[in-house]
Amino acid sequence: MPAPLDFTVALFVPANRPERFEKAAHAGADAVILDLEDAVAPDAKEAARAALRAGFASVPVLVRVNGLGTPWHTADLAALAGHGFSGVMVPKAEASEAFTALCEASPVPVVALVESARGLADARRIAGTSNVARIAFGSVDFCADLGCAHIREALQAARCELVLASRLAGLVAPVDGVTTAIDDRDAVTGDARYARDLGFGGKLAIHPRQIAAIRDGFAPDDAEVAWARKVLASGDGAAAVDGAMVDEPVRLRARAILGRLLEPPPADLSQSSSKGRQP
């Protein structure tokens, strides 16, 4: 099993815009994803591949390639060699011999982006595929495939299945899809908090302005921190805290809450080239 890519916020950057790479690395995300797929027009794919590099960031740099069966997929995979990327994101992930072969041959861990009804039905097989390090939810494409609205009620069952599939395979908690609103901080934070409460471990960002809002959504609030500290101060065995029973499973949840306390964002390389990723 590959080491997990355990990021909370990953920022997409069009791979054909290399002038944005350093800015993305300094924006405070835990990872940068150079996008060869949706963000790049067909006539710009070749130039985007030629621009790929990873040395501009202290955080993990991944590449989202074009999907299996597209005219660009094979060349995208070949372009990954020799750059030191931390992972590859495979869109439209579905269980198949071709997908398994791709994962086994990949020199870097795979983030499988589930974006279709078939992908969701295959989620547990995908999560158990060799070299898959994490599952991500392509919620916008998923809605297009199903013809449903991009709202929480329509997507709750799908999100829960991805959390369960990841847990059963021993993967780090999955990554939620994007919030399309860029300037609505409350919407971004609310979506991140909702995903966190369902068991997701991170969220994809499409603009630097979303990063802080996503972090806020995944961080515990003051009431949660106070409750967790009281629970852990209650000792061992069964106890009562605020009129509710506390035992070891409740303490496990309290420890998880305190483990999510907001950490400083990754260091800005523009301030000091000697600083690495925050622990």
mmCIF file of all heavy atoms in Angstrom, residues 12 14 16 35-42 45 64-67 72 91-92 113 115 138 140-141:
data_model
loop_
_atom_site.group_PDB
_atom_site.id
_atom_site.type_symbol
_atom_site.label_atom_id
_atom_site.label_comp_id
_atom_site.label_asym_id
_atom_site.label_seq_id
_atom_site.Cartn_x
_atom_site.Cartn_y
_atom_site.Cartn_z
ATOM 1 N N PHE A 12 -6.278 23.019 -7.571
ATOM 2 C CA PHE A 12 -6.098 22.789 -8.998
ATOM 3 C C PHE A 12 -5.455 24.008 -9.661
ATOM 4 O O PHE A 12 -5.794 25.154 -9.349
ATOM 5 C CB PHE A 12 -7.444 22.548 -9.689
ATOM 6 C CG PHE A 12 -7.963 21.143 -9.576
ATOM 7 C CD1 PHE A 12 -9.154 20.887 -8.913
ATOM 8 C CD2 PHE A 12 -7.288 20.080 -10.151
ATOM 9 C CE1 PHE A 12 -9.654 19.599 -8.820
ATOM 10 C CE2 PHE A 12 -7.779 18.784 -10.071
ATOM 11 C CZ PHE A 12 -8.964 18.542 -9.402
ATOM 12 N N PRO A 14 -4.363 25.045 -13.861
ATOM 13 C CA PRO A 14 -4.240 24.588 -15.248
ATOM 14 C C PRO A 14 -2.788 24.336 -15.606
ATOM 15 O O PRO A 14 -1.926 25.197 -15.399
ATOM 16 C CB PRO A 14 -4.828 25.749 -16.065
ATOM 17 C CG PRO A 14 -5.698 26.497 -15.093
ATOM 18 C CD PRO A 14 -5.021 26.367 -13.766
ATOM 19 N N ASN A 16 -1.399 24.293 -18.381
ATOM 20 C CA ASN A 16 -0.904 25.144 -19.475
ATOM 21 C C ASN A 16 -0.700 26.593 -19.032
ATOM 22 O O ASN A 16 -0.503 27.472 -19.869
ATOM 23 C CB ASN A 16 -1.865 25.099 -20.661
ATOM 24 C CG ASN A 16 -3.234 25.651 -20.335
ATOM 25 O OD1 ASN A 16 -3.695 25.579 -19.189
ATOM 26 N ND2 ASN A 16 -3.921 26.198 -21.335
ATOM 27 N N ASP A 35 -3.419 20.407 -13.675
ATOM 28 C CA ASP A 35 -4.539 19.800 -14.382
ATOM 29 C C ASP A 35 -4.307 19.757 -15.886
ATOM 30 O O ASP A 35 -4.208 20.796 -16.541
ATOM 31 C CB ASP A 35 -5.821 20.574 -14.073
ATOM 32 C CG ASP A 35 -7.064 19.879 -14.568
ATOM 33 O OD1 ASP A 35 -6.982 18.688 -14.958
ATOM 34 O OD2 ASP A 35 -8.143 20.512 -14.568
ATOM 35 N N LEU A 36 -4.215 18.546 -16.416
ATOM 36 C CA LEU A 36 -4.133 18.352 -17.866
ATOM 37 C C LEU A 36 -5.490 18.075 -18.481
ATOM 38 O O LEU A 36 -5.615 18.013 -19.706
ATOM 39 C CB LEU A 36 -3.212 17.163 -18.182
ATOM 40 C CG LEU A 36 -1.722 17.338 -17.922
ATOM 41 C CD1 LEU A 36 -1.007 16.002 -18.077
ATOM 42 C CD2 LEU A 36 -1.116 18.375 -18.855
ATOM 43 N N GLU A 37 -6.511 17.914 -17.643
ATOM 44 C CA GLU A 37 -7.807 17.456 -18.158
ATOM 45 C C GLU A 37 -8.755 18.629 -18.425
ATOM 46 O O GLU A 37 -8.603 19.345 -19.410
ATOM 47 C CB GLU A 37 -8.430 16.442 -17.180
ATOM 48 C CG GLU A 37 -9.584 15.658 -17.801
ATOM 49 C CD GLU A 37 -10.623 15.213 -16.786
ATOM 50 O OE1 GLU A 37 -10.644 15.711 -15.650
ATOM 51 O OE2 GLU A 37 -11.458 14.376 -17.155
ATOM 52 N N ASP A 38 -9.722 18.851 -17.536
ATOM 53 C CA ASP A 38 -10.813 19.784 -17.812
ATOM 54 C C ASP A 38 -10.348 21.218 -18.043
ATOM 55 O O ASP A 38 -10.980 21.971 -18.785
ATOM 56 C CB ASP A 38 -11.826 19.761 -16.672
ATOM 57 C CG ASP A 38 -12.643 18.485 -16.646
ATOM 58 O OD1 ASP A 38 -12.628 17.744 -17.646
ATOM 59 O OD2 ASP A 38 -13.297 18.217 -15.615
ATOM 60 N N ALA A 39 -9.262 21.628 -17.373
ATOM 61 C CA ALA A 39 -8.830 23.023 -17.456
ATOM 62 C C ALA A 39 -8.065 23.348 -18.729
ATOM 63 O O ALA A 39 -7.772 24.522 -18.983
ATOM 64 C CB ALA A 39 -7.957 23.363 -16.244
ATOM 65 N N VAL A 40 -7.757 22.344 -19.548
ATOM 66 C CA VAL A 40 -6.909 22.558 -20.716
ATOM 67 C C VAL A 40 -7.666 22.167 -21.986
ATOM 68 O O VAL A 40 -8.152 21.039 -22.112
ATOM 69 C CB VAL A 40 -5.612 21.735 -20.612
ATOM 70 C CG1 VAL A 40 -4.729 21.967 -21.835
ATOM 71 C CG2 VAL A 40 -4.853 22.089 -19.336
ATOM 72 N N ALA A 41 -7.750 23.096 -22.922
ATOM 73 C CA ALA A 41 -8.424 22.830 -24.191
ATOM 74 C C ALA A 41 -7.639 21.799 -25.007
ATOM 75 O O ALA A 41 -6.423 21.669 -24.847
ATOM 76 C CB ALA A 41 -8.561 24.122 -24.992
ATOM 77 N N PRO A 42 -8.325 21.074 -25.895
ATOM 78 C CA PRO A 42 -7.623 20.039 -26.676
ATOM 79 C C PRO A 42 -6.399 20.540 -27.412
ATOM 80 O O PRO A 42 -5.374 19.848 -27.467
ATOM 81 C CB PRO A 42 -8.712 19.557 -27.643
ATOM 82 C CG PRO A 42 -9.991 19.764 -26.896
ATOM 83 C CD PRO A 42 -9.789 21.045 -26.119
ATOM 84 N N LYS A 45 -3.193 20.777 -25.067
ATOM 85 C CA LYS A 45 -2.751 19.637 -24.261
ATOM 86 C C LYS A 45 -1.244 19.403 -24.391
ATOM 87 O O LYS A 45 -0.550 19.149 -23.402
ATOM 88 C CB LYS A 45 -3.496 18.374 -24.685
ATOM 89 C CG LYS A 45 -5.012 18.428 -24.568
ATOM 90 C CD LYS A 45 -5.496 18.275 -23.162
ATOM 91 C CE LYS A 45 -7.017 18.080 -23.126
ATOM 92 N NZ LYS A 45 -7.561 18.102 -21.753
ATOM 93 N N ARG A 64 -3.308 15.761 -12.665
ATOM 94 C CA ARG A 64 -4.526 15.095 -13.141
ATOM 95 C C ARG A 64 -4.376 14.889 -14.645
ATOM 96 O O ARG A 64 -4.316 15.841 -15.412
ATOM 97 C CB ARG A 64 -5.785 15.911 -12.850
ATOM 98 C CG ARG A 64 -7.037 15.208 -13.411
ATOM 99 C CD ARG A 64 -8.351 15.735 -12.850
ATOM 100 N NE ARG A 64 -8.682 17.061 -13.333
ATOM 101 C CZ ARG A 64 -9.877 17.640 -13.142
ATOM 102 N NH1 ARG A 64 -10.831 17.005 -12.478
ATOM 103 N NH2 ARG A 64 -10.095 18.853 -13.591
ATOM 104 N N VAL A 65 -4.312 13.626 -15.023
ATOM 105 C CA VAL A 65 -4.176 13.283 -16.433
ATOM 106 C C VAL A 65 -5.551 13.182 -17.071
ATOM 107 O O VAL A 65 -6.586 13.185 -16.388
ATOM 108 C CB VAL A 65 -3.424 11.946 -16.605
ATOM 109 C CG1 VAL A 65 -2.011 12.058 -16.059
ATOM 110 C CG2 VAL A 65 -4.169 10.796 -15.926
ATOM 111 N N ASN A 66 -5.583 13.091 -18.392
ATOM 112 C CA ASN A 66 -6.829 12.803 -19.086
ATOM 113 C C ASN A 66 -7.168 11.323 -18.911
ATOM 114 O O ASN A 66 -6.296 10.480 -18.716
ATOM 115 C CB ASN A 66 -6.698 13.169 -20.563
ATOM 116 C CG ASN A 66 -6.674 14.672 -20.773
ATOM 117 O OD1 ASN A 66 -7.706 15.328 -20.832
ATOM 118 N ND2 ASN A 66 -5.473 15.237 -20.847
ATOM 119 N N GLY A 67 -8.436 11.015 -18.981
ATOM 120 C CA GLY A 67 -8.914 9.694 -18.619
ATOM 121 C C GLY A 67 -8.561 8.599 -19.608
ATOM 122 O O GLY A 67 -8.214 8.858 -20.773
ATOM 123 N N TRP A 72 -5.429 11.632 -25.274
ATOM 124 C CA TRP A 72 -4.279 12.249 -24.620
ATOM 125 C C TRP A 72 -3.728 11.415 -23.463
ATOM 126 O O TRP A 72 -2.677 11.737 -22.923
ATOM 127 C CB TRP A 72 -4.679 13.631 -24.091
ATOM 128 C CG TRP A 72 -5.403 14.439 -25.102
ATOM 129 C CD1 TRP A 72 -4.870 15.082 -26.199
ATOM 130 C CD2 TRP A 72 -6.818 14.674 -25.157
ATOM 131 N NE1 TRP A 72 -5.855 15.707 -26.908
ATOM 132 C CE2 TRP A 72 -7.077 15.477 -26.301
ATOM 133 C CE3 TRP A 72 -7.898 14.307 -24.358
ATOM 134 C CZ2 TRP A 72 -8.353 15.894 -26.653
ATOM 135 C CZ3 TRP A 72 -9.175 14.718 -24.707
ATOM 136 C CH2 TRP A 72 -9.394 15.501 -25.843
ATOM 137 N N PRO A 91 -8.977 10.612 -13.622
ATOM 138 C CA PRO A 91 -10.399 10.964 -13.667
ATOM 139 C C PRO A 91 -11.243 9.807 -14.189
ATOM 140 O O PRO A 91 -10.732 8.838 -14.753
ATOM 141 C CB PRO A 91 -10.430 12.149 -14.629
ATOM 142 C CG PRO A 91 -9.290 11.880 -15.565
ATOM 143 C CD PRO A 91 -8.219 11.223 -14.724
ATOM 144 N N LYS A 92 -12.552 9.943 -13.968
ATOM 145 C CA LYS A 92 -13.518 8.952 -14.456
ATOM 146 C C LYS A 92 -13.108 7.532 -14.054
ATOM 147 O O LYS A 92 -13.236 6.580 -14.837
ATOM 148 C CB LYS A 92 -13.656 9.037 -15.980
ATOM 149 C CG LYS A 92 -13.915 10.430 -16.538
ATOM 150 C CD LYS A 92 -15.245 10.994 -16.108
ATOM 151 C CE LYS A 92 -15.605 12.267 -16.873
ATOM 152 N NZ LYS A 92 -14.645 13.376 -16.693
ATOM 153 N N LEU A 113 -10.356 9.439 -9.039
ATOM 154 C CA LEU A 113 -11.437 10.423 -9.029
ATOM 155 C C LEU A 113 -12.714 9.757 -9.526
ATOM 156 O O LEU A 113 -12.841 9.422 -10.708
ATOM 157 C CB LEU A 113 -11.058 11.609 -9.917
ATOM 158 C CG LEU A 113 -11.968 12.836 -9.907
ATOM 159 C CD1 LEU A 113 -12.052 13.450 -8.512
ATOM 160 C CD2 LEU A 113 -11.455 13.880 -10.897
ATOM 161 N N GLU A 115 -16.381 9.786 -10.671
ATOM 162 C CA GLU A 115 -17.192 10.831 -11.295
ATOM 163 C C GLU A 115 -18.409 10.287 -12.037
ATOM 164 O O GLU A 115 -19.051 11.038 -12.773
ATOM 165 C CB GLU A 115 -16.341 11.617 -12.295
ATOM 166 C CG GLU A 115 -15.109 12.258 -11.702
ATOM 167 C CD GLU A 115 -14.340 13.094 -12.705
ATOM 168 O OE1 GLU A 115 -13.488 12.530 -13.421
ATOM 169 O OE2 GLU A 115 -14.614 14.308 -12.779
ATOM 170 N N GLY A 138 -15.552 13.444 -7.792
ATOM 171 C CA GLY A 138 -15.815 14.437 -8.824
ATOM 172 C C GLY A 138 -17.306 14.700 -8.888
ATOM 173 O O GLY A 138 -18.005 14.202 -9.772
ATOM 174 N N VAL A 140 -19.304 17.269 -9.556
ATOM 175 C CA VAL A 140 -19.972 17.978 -10.652
ATOM 176 C C VAL A 140 -20.186 17.036 -11.833
ATOM 177 O O VAL A 140 -21.287 16.964 -12.397
ATOM 178 C CB VAL A 140 -19.148 19.214 -11.071
ATOM 179 C CG1 VAL A 140 -19.770 19.885 -12.289
ATOM 180 C CG2 VAL A 140 -19.061 20.215 -9.911
ATOM 181 N N ASP A 141 -19.149 16.292 -12.214
ATOM 182 C CA ASP A 141 -19.293 15.324 -13.302
ATOM 183 C C ASP A 141 -20.252 14.202 -12.924
ATOM 184 O O ASP A 141 -20.991 13.691 -13.776
ATOM 185 C CB ASP A 141 -17.933 14.742 -13.663
ATOM 186 C CG ASP A 141 -17.095 15.700 -14.486
ATOM 187 O OD1 ASP A 141 -16.598 16.684 -13.928
ATOM 188 O OD2 ASP A 141 -16.948 15.469 -15.696
#
